């Protein structure tokens, strides 16, 4: 099953030193892009830990997923259609909230309580990558 493979890869990337946004954007593009971008995970680097590790804004796992969706379905020219990327992003956001209760890094972290070695964040990132992979597989059908 692809979701399990995606979740393992995202967790392993986080465990290996990438943060949430980098891990999910790298994982999703590796599994679903026709051509890999050399800019991933570089473009996601500032989004980890609630943007710049402030923990005050949107969760990096969500932003990393949105970055991946932009790479997969975004536009390169003004005026081109945004329908697909916007629908997929909205669906990812909706399912993310259903699963984690918020998109806010600090709110999610408070709900986690104490964590050792960012294990709960790593699991969240893996789960978010799994959610996004399901959305993308559903789209392909």
């Amino acid at each position: 099953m692809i979701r399990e493979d995606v979740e393992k890869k995202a967790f392993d990337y986080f465990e290996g030193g990438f943060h949430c946004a980098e891990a999910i954007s790298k994982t999703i593009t590796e599994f679903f892009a026709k051509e890999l971008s050399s800019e991933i995970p570089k473009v996601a680097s500032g989004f980890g830990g609630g943007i710049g590790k402030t923990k005050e804004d949107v969760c990096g796992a969500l932003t990393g997923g949105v970055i991946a969706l932009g790479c997969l379905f975004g536009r390169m020219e003004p005026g081109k259609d945004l329908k697909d990327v916007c629908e997929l992003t909205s669906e990812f956001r909706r399912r993310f909230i259903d699963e984690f209760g918020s998109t806010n890094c600090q709110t999610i972290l408070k709900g986690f309580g104490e964590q050792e070695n960012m294990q709960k964040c790593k699991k969240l990132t893996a789960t978010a990558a799994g959610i996004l992979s399901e959305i993308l597989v559903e789209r392909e059908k």
Side-chain angles (χ1 to χ4, degrees):
M1 177 177 212
I2 192 168
R3 179 175 176 150
E4 292 168 358
D5 294 337
V6 167
E7 288 182 355
K8 182 180 181 339
K9 178 70 90 172
F11 186 91
D12 289 348
Y13 277 142
F14 202 151
E15 185 81 5
F18 285 116
H19 64 54
C20 47
E22 295 166 332
I24 191 172
S25 62
K26 185 167 175 53
T27 299
I28 293 297
T29 56
E30 286 178 358
F31 273 85
F32 293 96
K34 289 180 176 82
E35 292 181 30
L36 292 179
S37 169
S38 63
E39 300 299 309
I40 298 293
K42 184 177 174 180
V43 297
S45 292
F47 290 97
I51 300 183
K53 295 194 178 217
T54 63
K55 300 176 185 166
E56 294 185 11
D57 293 301
V58 67
C59 172
L62 180 66
T63 57
V66 173
I67 289 167
L69 287 169
C71 287
L72 296 171
F73 302 101
R75 62 186 182 177
M76 292 294 290
E77 300 172 19
K80 294 288 183 178
D81 189 11
L82 290 171
K83 183 178 183 244
D84 287 343
V85 72
C86 289
E87 285 178 0
L88 292 164
T89 300
S90 293
E91 180 63 14
F92 178 49
R93 180 182 177 276
R94 185 190 66 74
R95 292 190 197 184
F96 188 96
I97 292 169
D98 287 349
E99 182 73 25
F100 305 113
S102 179
T103 61
N104 181 272
C105 179
Q106 190 170 73
T107 301
I108 293 168
L109 289 173
K110 283 181 184 177
F112 283 167
E114 293 292 319
Q115 65 173 318
E116 188 173 318
N117 194 28
M118 301 293 289
Q119 287 301 305
K120 293 177 183 176
C121 286
K122 292 172 187 174
K123 289 177 184 173
L124 177 146
T125 299
T127 301
I131 290 167
L132 186 50
S133 73
E134 283 185 343
I135 292 168
L136 294 171
V137 167
E138 289 167 10
R139 182 187 186 278
E140 290 175 355
K141 290 181 181 180

